[in-house]
């Protein structure tokens, strides 16, 4: 086991520019769409060729600011654009169902910002529509496609950690309380779990699969959304995941996978390009991999876009490393956690 932990595997796709180019349309030109577009243009051969908004002025301003060829004053016009191969749904997650279905009905491949929908039931509607239309669909859980995550995946595939027993992850940030804002408004599917906690639940799913048991504890904001949550997830094999998320304080944003023969500890933030340490069962450091590629934070979104382009070229209709069923399961876990917390929810 020592050799397996000391000689770490190389990331299999360290350069997003290795993927065949696709023409992208951005649906919802907000902050995350801006970072996504810039990341693609800086680090890959993917090109955003159109932006669509309910406001023609907003779409045109986005296009001018980010080197995008065309803009559309409606979402319907964007998804009907014959020059668009794939639609990136970047609207608030309370609107993901409507906008994903719109793109799918137009026959477009879709990348849907995380979480894919507000509930597992909504996500199942998206999956059914995509499969019925025969288009590619993927949740934009970009953490799955980062170089350090691929190293962790290869170690798990080789059983280098032995039997996985404990998984941890945290993601918290301090957000000013504004009951009308996206984070705090139940009408907009606010709350820590859907905004930040989805990363931690997805990390647990990556390491131990869908949970057999869920215990949630936390607090609610005056609007009724969850502002802090701690989850204990148990697997059928007896492994546990200990997860936390909050809108009230910044947290380290670290994640671990602990097995009988060794453990992985990510650098911070685990959800973006960073690095990882690998320890032997006796606690000694076996290796420390630091991301050398110079694509920090949201620049790492180029990796998920490149992965999607490769999958489409291979004739796939979903991601092999983050299948649609897993995105649904992650939302089912969050559904149950929110139910236990008594969080206000809008279906």
């Amino acid at each position: 086991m020592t050799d397996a932990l000391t000689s770490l595997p190389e990331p299999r796709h360290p350069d997003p520019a290795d993927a065949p180019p696709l023409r992208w349309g951005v649906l919802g030109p907000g902050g995350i769409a801006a970072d996504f577009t810039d990341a693609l243009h800086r680090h890959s051969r993917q090109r955003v060729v159109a932006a669509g908004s309910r406001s023609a002025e907003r779409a045109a301003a986005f296009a001018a600011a980010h080197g995008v060829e065309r803009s559309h004053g409606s979402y319907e016009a964007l998804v009907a654009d014959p020059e668009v191969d794939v639609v990136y749904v970047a609207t608030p997650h309370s609107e993901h169902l409507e906008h994903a279905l719109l793109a799918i009905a137009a026959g477009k491949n879709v990348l849907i910002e995380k979480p894919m929908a507000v509930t597992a039931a909504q996500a199942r509607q998206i999956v059914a529509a995509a499969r019925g239309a025969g288009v590619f669909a993927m949740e934009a859980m970009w953490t799955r496609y980062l170089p350090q995550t691929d190293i962790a995946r290869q170690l798990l595939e080789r059983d280098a950690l032995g039997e996985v027993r404990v998984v941890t992850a945290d993601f918290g940030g301090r957000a000013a309380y504004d009951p009308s804002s996206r984070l705090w408004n139940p009408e907009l599917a606010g709350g820590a779990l859907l905004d930040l906690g989805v990363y931690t639940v997805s990390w647990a799913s990556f390491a131990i699969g869908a949970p057999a048991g869920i215990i949630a504890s936390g607090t609610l904001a005056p609007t009724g959304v969850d502002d802090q949550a701690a989850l204990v997830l148990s697997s059928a094999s007896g492994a546990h995941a200990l997860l936390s998320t909050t809108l009230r304080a910044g947290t380290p944003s670290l994640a671990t996978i602990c097995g009988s023969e060794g453990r992985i500890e990510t650098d911070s933030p685990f959800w973006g390009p960073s690095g990882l340490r690998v320890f032997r069962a006796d606690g000694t450091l076996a290796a420390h991999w630091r991301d050398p590629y110079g694509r920090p934070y949201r620049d790492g979104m180029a990796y998920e876009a490149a992965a999607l382009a490769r999958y489409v070229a291979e004739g796939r209709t979903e991601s092999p490393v983050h299948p649609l069923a897993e995105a649904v399961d992650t939302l089912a876990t969050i559904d149950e956690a929110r139910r236990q917390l008594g969080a206000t929810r809008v279906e």
Side-chain angles (χ1 to χ4, degrees):
M1 292 296 178
T2 299
D3 289 341
L5 296 179
T6 302
S7 301
L8 295 182
E10 292 295 321
R12 285 171 281 201
H13 291 285
D15 186 359
D18 71 1
L22 291 177
R23 300 169 299 179
W24 293 72
V26 167
L27 191 158
I32 196 167
D35 290 344
F36 178 85
T37 300
D38 292 346
L40 265 58
H41 291 175
R42 275 195 293 263
H43 302 295
S44 78
R45 294 191 291 151
Q46 310 304 309
R47 286 295 174 265
V48 176
V49 299
S53 171
R54 293 192 179 103
S55 163
E57 293 77 13
R58 189 176 182 215
F62 181 95
H66 299 284
V68 175
E69 298 171 10
R70 296 184 304 286
S71 63
H72 297 287
S74 72
Y75 298 143
E76 290 78 8
L78 174 75
V79 302
D81 189 331
E83 299 300 313
V84 168
D85 300 314
V86 55
V87 171
Y88 171 53
V89 176
T91 47
H93 41 259
S94 55
E95 301 182 57
H96 285 180
L97 174 64
E98 176 186 352
H99 296 153
L101 293 180
L102 181 71
I104 291 167
K108 300 297 188 185
N109 301 309
V110 288
L111 176 67
I112 308 158
E113 252 313 318
K114 83 214 88 47
M116 188 164 67
V118 173
T119 65
Q122 287 189 0
R124 291 187 190 101
Q125 291 183 59
I126 294 171
V127 172
R131 288 178 174 161
V135 300
F136 184 95
M138 185 170 104
E139 181 184 48
M141 183 52 69
W142 59 301
T143 305
R144 288 296 178 93
Y145 306 95
L146 299 176
Q148 79 255 14
T149 308
D150 188 51
I151 293 172
R153 180 181 296 109
Q154 292 182 68
L155 291 174
L156 291 172
E157 289 170 351
R158 298 174 186 181
D159 294 323
L161 303 179
E163 183 182 12
V164 174
R165 300 302 303 170
V166 177
V167 175
T168 69
D170 74 272
F171 192 0
R174 187 175 184 275
Y177 180 67
D178 176 358
S180 66
S181 73
R182 178 184 66 82
L183 289 175
W184 302 99
N185 187 342
E187 296 292 329
L188 300 177
L193 279 165
L194 282 170
D195 194 72
L196 304 180
V198 64
Y199 286 92
T200 69
V201 176
S202 183
W203 178 263
S205 179
F206 165 68
I208 62 174
I214 301 166
I215 300 172
S217 178
T219 58
L220 304 179
T223 55
V225 303
D226 53 287
D227 61 6
Q228 186 161 298
L231 276 60
V232 179
L233 309 182
S234 56
S235 75
S237 68
H240 288 84
L242 313 176
L243 314 175
S244 69
T245 187
T246 180
L247 297 176
R248 297 294 191 180
T251 68
S253 291
L254 300 171
T256 70
I257 303 173
C258 308
S260 57
E261 300 297 334
R263 73 179 186 272
I264 294 168
E265 296 183 1
T266 69
D267 293 343
S268 178
F270 81 89
W271 42 262
S274 55
L276 52 76
R277 292 175 172 84
V278 181
F279 294 84
R280 304 179 184 90
D282 63 5
T284 57
L285 180 67
H288 185 190
W289 184 87
R290 299 174 179 87
D291 190 298
Y293 303 117
R295 304 180 189 107
Y297 298 102
R298 284 183 172 176
D299 273 16
M301 290 191 288
Y303 292 108
E304 68 180 349
L308 184 149
R310 285 191 293 270
Y311 300 150
V312 169
E314 293 166 1
R316 299 180 185 271
T317 55
E318 61 183 295
S319 166
V321 303
H322 186 48
L324 293 170
E326 188 178 350
V328 173
D329 286 342
T330 293
L331 277 166
T333 298
I334 292 175
D335 285 348
E336 174 59 17
R338 294 174 75 208
R339 184 195 70 78
Q340 291 185 27
L341 295 177
T344 301
R345 49 191 282 174
V346 177
E347 302 293 341

